[in-house]
Amino acid sequence: MSTDDVIAALDRGEVRVAEPDGDGWKVNADVQAAILDYFRERQLEPEEVGPFAYHDKIPLKTNYDELGVRVVPPATARFGAFLARGVVLMPSYVNIGAWVGPNTMVDTWATVGSGAQIGANVHLAGGVGIGGVLEPAGAQPVIVEDGAFLGSRCIVVEGVRIGREAVLAPNVTLTASVPIIDVTGTEPVEYRGYVPQRAVVVPGTRPKEFPAGTYHLSCALIIGRRNESTDLKTSLNDALRDHSI
């Protein structure tokens, strides 16, 4: 396929930057490369949408009514991002190559970076920052699996994978190197770049010795597993739809 064909297929959800592969994920490096080629090949062009004016290389996504997607002004999704039926975009941003699954809520001022893979029935709360990853080719993008809840102002970057139905409390920041420590047992269990399914995660710190003294560095703490009480606190998608917020 030509570069334009790949981007159009991304927009329709027929190809993805990354896709489930058994218990893991497979990255499609050729798709990432096509996105980078698309940036190089296109020229800046003006575009007007109602009272808004833009000047960019990549057109905006359209046909939301046909797609069954709700978009609240001034939410923006670029052409080449896939939005499944039932997605709600509050004033937010979705970049090219992103894939957003059915009935997911992208809340106010949340951002979904290039190539990020967001599952079905996910809630990205206000101000969540999902990083984009397109290079080097083959690098894993950020992945948020089905049913996960990310609280306000969470930041997830550098290809971190959030397991199915996991819950991140507000202000959790995860990079590929931030320790994610399960403290629910008698001994800590440490993860990097991965939050297990149904884990409940809060911000934390831990001490580290430096020549200049002891300082506390950021980490994330798994303090439990999702249960019915947690579900009641995080299952906001239906409520938001019912009240047309």
Side-chain angles (χ1 to χ4, degrees), residues 121-123 147-149 167 226-242:
N121 300 301
V122 169
H123 190 114
F149 180 94
V167 176
R226 189 166 179 160
N227 55 31
E228 292 183 3
S229 174
T230 311
D231 289 341
L232 288 174
K233 295 177 182 178
T234 59
S235 297
L236 301 178
N237 286 4
D238 290 341
L240 288 169
R241 294 172 203 282
D242 289 347

Side-chain angles (χ1 to χ4, degrees), residues 30-95:
D30 55 337
V31 176
Q32 291 174 320
I35 295 172
L36 295 174
D37 288 342
Y38 193 63
F39 279 109
R40 284 189 285 266
E41 294 170 5
R42 292 189 59 84
Q43 302 298 315
L44 289 169
E45 296 180 2
E47 183 172 3
E48 293 188 6
V49 183
F52 302 105
Y54 300 91
H55 191 225
D56 192 21
K57 290 186 173 185
I58 302 195
L60 298 178
K61 198 170 178 68
T62 58
N63 299 324
Y64 291 118
D65 184 45
E66 178 183 335
L67 297 173
V69 173
R70 179 183 172 203
V71 182
V72 178
T76 300
R78 273 174 145 180
F79 182 72
F82 174 71
L83 305 176
R85 186 165 295 276
V87 165
V88 174
L89 299 185
M90 299 303 284
S92 55
Y93 180 75
V94 181
N95 207 346

Side-chain angles (χ1 to χ4, degrees), residues 81-208:
F82 174 71
L83 305 176
R85 186 165 295 276
V87 165
V88 174
L89 299 185
M90 299 303 284
S92 55
Y93 180 75
V94 181
N95 207 346
I96 185 172
W99 193 99
V100 183
N103 303 313
T104 281
M105 168 72 71
V106 183
D107 221 326
T108 304
W109 307 136
T111 57
V112 180
S114 51
Q117 304 294 295
I118 312 297
N121 300 301
V122 169
H123 190 114
L124 304 179
V128 164
I130 302 295
V133 176
L134 288 177
E135 53 185 348
Q140 177 172 291
V142 173
I143 295 167
V144 180
E145 296 182 342
D146 294 353
F149 180 94
L150 278 62
S152 294
R153 302 306 192 252
C154 282
I155 299 173
V156 184
V157 298
E158 296 179 354
V160 171
R161 175 182 167 193
I162 308 299
R164 184 183 181 93
E165 297 181 342
V167 176
L168 273 57
N171 293 314
V172 169
T173 297
L174 297 179
T175 72
S177 59
V178 167
I180 302 163
I181 308 169
D182 189 333
V183 296
T184 60
T186 56
E187 295 290 336
V189 177
E190 186 171 315
Y191 300 87
R192 300 273 179 143
Y194 174 64
V195 173
Q197 294 184 12
R198 297 186 66 81
V200 176
V201 183
V202 300
T205 63
R206 67 176 181 180
K208 185 175 177 60

